[in-house]
Amino acid sequence: MASTEKADVIAMTHGDAPGSDTSSSPASGIGDKHHISPPRHDLDQAYWYMQHTENATEASPQELSRLRRKIDWWIVPIMFCCYTMQFIDKVSLNYAAVMGLNQELKLQANEFSNAATWFFIAFLIAEVPTALILQRVPVAKWLGANVILWGIATACTAAAHNYPSLMAARIFLGIFEAAIAPCLILISSQWYTKSEAAPRFSIWYAGLGVGQIIGGIVSYAFQQVQNPTFSGWRIMFVVLGLVTVVIGVATLFILPDTPMQARFMSEAEKVMLLKHVAVNQTGIRNKKYNWSQALEILGDMQLWLMVLLTILISISSGVITTYSATLIRNFGYTPPTAALLNMPSGIVSIASTFIVGYGVRYTSNRWAWIAGCCVPGILGGGLMSFATGSKAGQLAGIYLVNVITATLIVIYQWTGSNIGGQTKRAISVALISGSFSVGNIIGPQTFQAKDRPQYIPAKITVLATQASAALVAFVLFLYYVWANKRKNSPSAAAVESMAEGRQGEDRLWEDQTDKRNPTFRYVY
């Protein structure tokens, strides 16, 4: 039987464990000594897959290293391509602005800002169904379908002839791009342990920096096109949309929905991988909704701190990604030169993303890396706000602020590592992605027409939000230290000891949240 069919059969046949006692009570948390685990039928599909597959011998470090390389080459490049194109398609409006879009569509006052903002409003609203859909549908297939659809939306932007038609194209683009971050977070977390995941997150997230570089080149190239009937910016949208559609189709065929369905791995390699990542205690796939996990989110302090942190970071990133080319042009440069001068921002983003990703892999201290990235962001915001008489100082400020883009990948990886329970994870990643939208809604609105050409209030906003983000990262660190100490308390240790005494491997695949699982520990 083919591996995909086998995984499907196991999932359909063993949604409930044979002979399970469905009347048993779920774990109620650290302080409850009477209930340790949820009903035993609520186990991850990966557990049942391993039960119906020949046992593999314990993998050696060399075998795991070879398997990781194999996985890296198969799944990371396509995720990188998806993230690169979502960034380019999203910020293509920024490049089109310096290519004459505003004049050709006769945009007035704050209509360009509103077009940028409505993309993120649609993005935010779409996260609500995304949170519910991701637990029920194959994640990679959902990603591929949305990549194709947002590629079509990007191409259709070329047909915009006034403000309402531009808004319609941007709203549809926001709806379909809403899937990108939640899908990539969930997919990446399936294949690697918590420490291994950080650099892999960084690789696909580096698509943001690559997108900034490619976007500058693309904008410059299409500004050389002189066509009175079909402007260069319109041709740019068509080309970008077609490239995105091709990548979306490739995603459908290349990216497996789970390790159990990976055609490029043998059965022994699949089991080897599943045993390796079981230590995460975050599961692979479980289609059953658990509404108690959704309610737990309401009182989960870590998640709301991450929401606040994401909003603060995203306000600055929204300013830079949407308006950087416009700001540079307002320094007195021509549109083609502004497009080229925006490219070093991508180099800064790529460098900071890899430094932070590999730094987390080998030193952990996620909170410190976030706070550290905020320091250049604060300096950049200061230069943008107060070095108004110096083009070099203003440019340096824009480049420095791009260091903060690396903090988002730490937040994404933190969410994937520190949230347990399939329903809670699906909702949480959508919530964090939605928080990114909130920040990007606020960011462009700080650019008001009355503040031209310097936009000083927007620049001061960058400075203030970065300082606040560094503080929130430190508070989150303190929370995790406290939460782990609470799990290590004598009463909690007794519950953990009882949990570890149960049948070994199955407890690693129970659909428990990070709060209810007595053996779960937070990384920080």
Tab-separated table of all heavy atoms in Angstrom, residues 396-426:
chain	number	residue	atom	x	y	z
A	396	ALA	N	20.325	55.336	6.401
A	396	ALA	CA	20.842	54.410	7.413
A	396	ALA	C	19.732	54.029	8.389
A	396	ALA	O	19.640	52.871	8.824
A	396	ALA	CB	22.010	55.054	8.157
A	397	GLY	N	18.874	54.992	8.733
A	397	GLY	CA	17.760	54.710	9.628
A	397	GLY	C	16.813	53.679	9.051
A	397	GLY	O	16.391	52.739	9.741
A	398	ILE	N	16.480	53.823	7.768
A	398	ILE	CA	15.589	52.854	7.118
A	398	ILE	C	16.217	51.464	7.106
A	398	ILE	O	15.559	50.454	7.402
A	398	ILE	CB	15.266	53.318	5.683
A	398	ILE	CG1	14.328	54.523	5.727
A	398	ILE	CG2	14.638	52.185	4.863
A	398	ILE	CD1	14.023	55.122	4.383
A	399	TYR	N	17.514	51.399	6.789
A	399	TYR	CA	18.182	50.092	6.751
A	399	TYR	C	18.239	49.456	8.141
A	399	TYR	O	18.031	48.244	8.290
A	399	TYR	CB	19.594	50.234	6.188
A	399	TYR	CG	19.640	50.762	4.765
A	399	TYR	CD1	20.727	51.500	4.308
A	399	TYR	CD2	18.597	50.520	3.874
A	399	TYR	CE1	20.779	51.989	3.003
A	399	TYR	CE2	18.627	51.000	2.568
A	399	TYR	CZ	19.722	51.742	2.145
A	399	TYR	OH	19.758	52.220	0.863
A	400	LEU	N	18.511	50.258	9.168
A	400	LEU	CA	18.602	49.728	10.532
A	400	LEU	C	17.258	49.187	11.016
A	400	LEU	O	17.200	48.158	11.702
A	400	LEU	CB	19.109	50.803	11.489
A	400	LEU	CG	20.615	51.091	11.469
A	400	LEU	CD1	20.934	52.317	12.306
A	400	LEU	CD2	21.391	49.877	11.980
A	401	VAL	N	16.180	49.881	10.678
A	401	VAL	CA	14.865	49.422	11.126
A	401	VAL	C	14.552	48.035	10.568
A	401	VAL	O	13.821	47.249	11.186
A	401	VAL	CB	13.778	50.450	10.727
A	401	VAL	CG1	12.379	49.884	10.984
A	401	VAL	CG2	13.955	51.730	11.520
A	402	ASN	N	15.131	47.684	9.413
A	402	ASN	CA	14.866	46.368	8.824
A	402	ASN	C	15.414	45.210	9.659
A	402	ASN	O	15.029	44.065	9.429
A	402	ASN	CB	15.441	46.313	7.405
A	402	ASN	CG	14.506	46.929	6.380
A	402	ASN	OD1	13.616	46.264	5.853
A	402	ASN	ND2	14.703	48.209	6.110
A	403	VAL	N	16.286	45.492	10.614
A	403	VAL	CA	16.771	44.433	11.501
A	403	VAL	C	15.610	43.815	12.283
A	403	VAL	O	15.621	42.631	12.614
A	403	VAL	CB	17.841	44.986	12.467
A	403	VAL	CG1	18.248	43.940	13.495
A	403	VAL	CG2	19.062	45.451	11.679
A	404	ILE	N	14.589	44.623	12.569
A	404	ILE	CA	13.476	44.118	13.385
A	404	ILE	C	12.679	43.040	12.678
A	404	ILE	O	11.918	42.311	13.333
A	404	ILE	CB	12.534	45.256	13.809
A	404	ILE	CG1	11.817	45.839	12.581
A	404	ILE	CG2	13.267	46.316	14.594
A	404	ILE	CD1	10.704	46.790	12.918
A	405	THR	N	12.814	42.907	11.361
A	405	THR	CA	12.061	41.860	10.672
A	405	THR	C	12.434	40.477	11.197
A	405	THR	O	11.611	39.562	11.169
A	405	THR	CB	12.301	41.921	9.156
A	405	THR	OG1	13.699	41.787	8.887
A	405	THR	CG2	11.809	43.236	8.579
A	406	ALA	N	13.650	40.320	11.703
A	406	ALA	CA	14.094	39.017	12.215
A	406	ALA	C	13.347	38.615	13.476
A	406	ALA	O	13.280	37.425	13.813
A	406	ALA	CB	15.598	39.040	12.488
A	407	THR	N	12.785	39.585	14.193
A	407	THR	CA	12.088	39.243	15.441
A	407	THR	C	10.809	38.452	15.174
A	407	THR	O	10.402	37.630	15.994
A	407	THR	CB	11.731	40.515	16.226
A	407	THR	OG1	10.880	41.337	15.423
A	407	THR	CG2	12.970	41.306	16.585
A	408	LEU	N	10.176	38.677	14.039
A	408	LEU	CA	8.923	37.981	13.762
A	408	LEU	C	9.130	36.480	13.612
A	408	LEU	O	8.283	35.686	14.013
A	408	LEU	CB	8.279	38.556	12.498
A	408	LEU	CG	7.554	39.895	12.691
A	408	LEU	CD1	7.128	40.474	11.349
A	408	LEU	CD2	6.355	39.746	13.602
A	409	ILE	N	10.272	36.081	13.037
A	409	ILE	CA	10.493	34.645	12.887
A	409	ILE	C	10.706	33.987	14.247
A	409	ILE	O	10.340	32.832	14.455
A	409	ILE	CB	11.685	34.368	11.935
A	409	ILE	CG1	11.652	32.923	11.453
A	409	ILE	CG2	13.018	34.655	12.595
A	409	ILE	CD1	10.386	32.555	10.735
A	410	VAL	N	11.283	34.720	15.202
A	410	VAL	CA	11.425	34.177	16.556
A	410	VAL	C	10.044	34.009	17.184
A	410	VAL	O	9.757	33.002	17.847
A	410	VAL	CB	12.299	35.090	17.435
A	410	VAL	CG1	12.463	34.497	18.827
A	410	VAL	CG2	13.668	35.286	16.788
A	411	ILE	N	9.175	34.988	16.979
A	411	ILE	CA	7.811	34.895	17.522
A	411	ILE	C	7.064	33.726	16.888
A	411	ILE	O	6.381	32.959	17.577
A	411	ILE	CB	7.055	36.217	17.281
A	411	ILE	CG1	7.719	37.354	18.053
A	411	ILE	CG2	5.587	36.088	17.703
A	411	ILE	CD1	7.179	38.732	17.721
A	412	TYR	N	7.199	33.550	15.570
A	412	TYR	CA	6.544	32.425	14.900
A	412	TYR	C	7.043	31.094	15.468
A	412	TYR	O	6.260	30.189	15.752
A	412	TYR	CB	6.828	32.467	13.389
A	412	TYR	CG	6.111	33.553	12.633
A	412	TYR	CD1	6.539	33.937	11.364
A	412	TYR	CD2	5.005	34.203	13.171
A	412	TYR	CE1	5.884	34.928	10.650
A	412	TYR	CE2	4.354	35.197	12.466
A	412	TYR	CZ	4.796	35.560	11.206
A	412	TYR	OH	4.150	36.537	10.493
A	413	GLN	N	8.360	30.988	15.623
A	413	GLN	CA	8.927	29.733	16.119
A	413	GLN	C	8.576	29.526	17.586
A	413	GLN	O	8.341	28.401	18.024
A	413	GLN	CB	10.441	29.739	15.911
A	413	GLN	CG	11.083	28.364	15.913
A	413	GLN	CD	11.622	27.989	17.284
A	413	GLN	OE1	12.060	28.846	18.035
A	413	GLN	NE2	11.583	26.709	17.592
A	414	TRP	N	8.536	30.588	18.354
A	414	TRP	CA	8.122	30.530	19.757
A	414	TRP	C	6.697	29.988	19.859
A	414	TRP	O	6.396	29.143	20.700
A	414	TRP	CB	8.163	31.938	20.352
A	414	TRP	CG	8.827	32.023	21.695
A	414	TRP	CD1	9.158	31.006	22.529
A	414	TRP	CD2	9.267	33.227	22.355
A	414	TRP	NE1	9.764	31.487	23.667
A	414	TRP	CE2	9.836	32.844	23.575
A	414	TRP	CE3	9.211	34.575	22.023
A	414	TRP	CZ2	10.350	33.768	24.480
A	414	TRP	CZ3	9.730	35.496	22.918
A	414	TRP	CH2	10.300	35.095	24.133
A	415	THR	N	5.828	30.472	19.001
A	415	THR	CA	4.436	30.010	19.001
A	415	THR	C	4.363	28.528	18.670
A	415	THR	O	3.644	27.763	19.327
A	415	THR	CB	3.605	30.811	17.974
A	415	THR	OG1	3.767	32.215	18.225
A	415	THR	CG2	2.136	30.448	18.068
A	416	GLY	N	5.115	28.110	17.646
A	416	GLY	CA	5.116	26.705	17.275
A	416	GLY	C	5.681	25.792	18.348
A	416	GLY	O	5.283	24.635	18.470
A	417	SER	N	6.608	26.304	19.159
A	417	SER	CA	7.285	25.490	20.171
A	417	SER	C	6.550	25.465	21.504
A	417	SER	O	6.604	24.466	22.223
A	417	SER	CB	8.706	26.020	20.408
A	417	SER	OG	9.491	25.906	19.245
A	418	ASN	N	5.908	26.555	21.878
A	418	ASN	CA	5.376	26.697	23.235
A	418	ASN	C	3.873	26.541	23.351
A	418	ASN	O	3.321	26.724	24.444
A	418	ASN	CB	5.775	28.067	23.816
A	418	ASN	CG	7.215	28.079	24.298
A	418	ASN	OD1	7.874	27.041	24.353
A	418	ASN	ND2	7.721	29.246	24.635
A	419	ILE	N	3.202	26.210	22.271
A	419	ILE	CA	1.755	25.988	22.317
A	419	ILE	C	1.481	24.522	22.031
A	419	ILE	O	1.869	23.998	20.990
A	419	ILE	CB	1.011	26.861	21.289
A	419	ILE	CG1	1.326	28.339	21.500
A	419	ILE	CG2	-0.496	26.619	21.379
A	419	ILE	CD1	0.833	28.924	22.797
A	420	GLY	N	0.842	23.843	22.962
A	420	GLY	CA	0.482	22.444	22.798
A	420	GLY	C	-1.020	22.294	22.616
A	420	GLY	O	-1.807	23.149	23.028
A	421	GLY	N	-1.440	21.165	22.018
A	421	GLY	CA	-2.857	20.922	21.741
A	421	GLY	C	-3.194	21.366	20.334
A	421	GLY	O	-2.985	22.523	19.987
A	422	GLN	N	-3.715	20.456	19.504
A	422	GLN	CA	-3.905	20.767	18.081
A	422	GLN	C	-4.895	21.901	17.842
A	422	GLN	O	-4.649	22.779	17.018
A	422	GLN	CB	-4.362	19.508	17.341
A	422	GLN	CG	-3.286	18.443	17.206
A	422	GLN	CD	-2.080	18.940	16.425
A	422	GLN	OE1	-2.214	19.425	15.312
A	422	GLN	NE2	-0.895	18.811	17.005
A	423	THR	N	-6.000	21.922	18.573
A	423	THR	CA	-6.962	23.018	18.396
A	423	THR	C	-6.365	24.330	18.863
A	423	THR	O	-6.485	25.361	18.197
A	423	THR	CB	-8.256	22.722	19.169
A	423	THR	OG1	-8.830	21.495	18.705
A	423	THR	CG2	-9.271	23.847	18.989
A	424	LYS	N	-5.714	24.314	19.998
A	424	LYS	CA	-5.100	25.535	20.530
A	424	LYS	C	-4.000	26.032	19.595
A	424	LYS	O	-3.862	27.247	19.379
A	424	LYS	CB	-4.534	25.274	21.923
A	424	LYS	CG	-3.982	26.514	22.609
A	424	LYS	CD	-3.471	26.212	24.008
A	424	LYS	CE	-2.913	27.480	24.659
A	424	LYS	NZ	-2.360	27.213	26.010
A	425	ARG	N	-3.212	25.133	19.036
A	425	ARG	CA	-2.123	25.531	18.132
A	425	ARG	C	-2.677	26.173	16.864
A	425	ARG	O	-2.178	27.217	16.412
A	425	ARG	CB	-1.266	24.317	17.764
A	425	ARG	CG	-0.257	23.943	18.822
A	425	ARG	CD	0.314	22.557	18.575
A	425	ARG	NE	1.001	22.458	17.292
A	425	ARG	CZ	2.224	22.919	17.049
A	425	ARG	NH1	2.893	23.542	18.002
A	425	ARG	NH2	2.784	22.760	15.864
A	426	ALA	N	-3.707	25.556	16.270
A	426	ALA	CA	-4.264	26.090	15.033
A	426	ALA	C	-4.820	27.499	15.246
A	426	ALA	O	-4.601	28.406	14.432
A	426	ALA	CB	-5.362	25.168	14.500
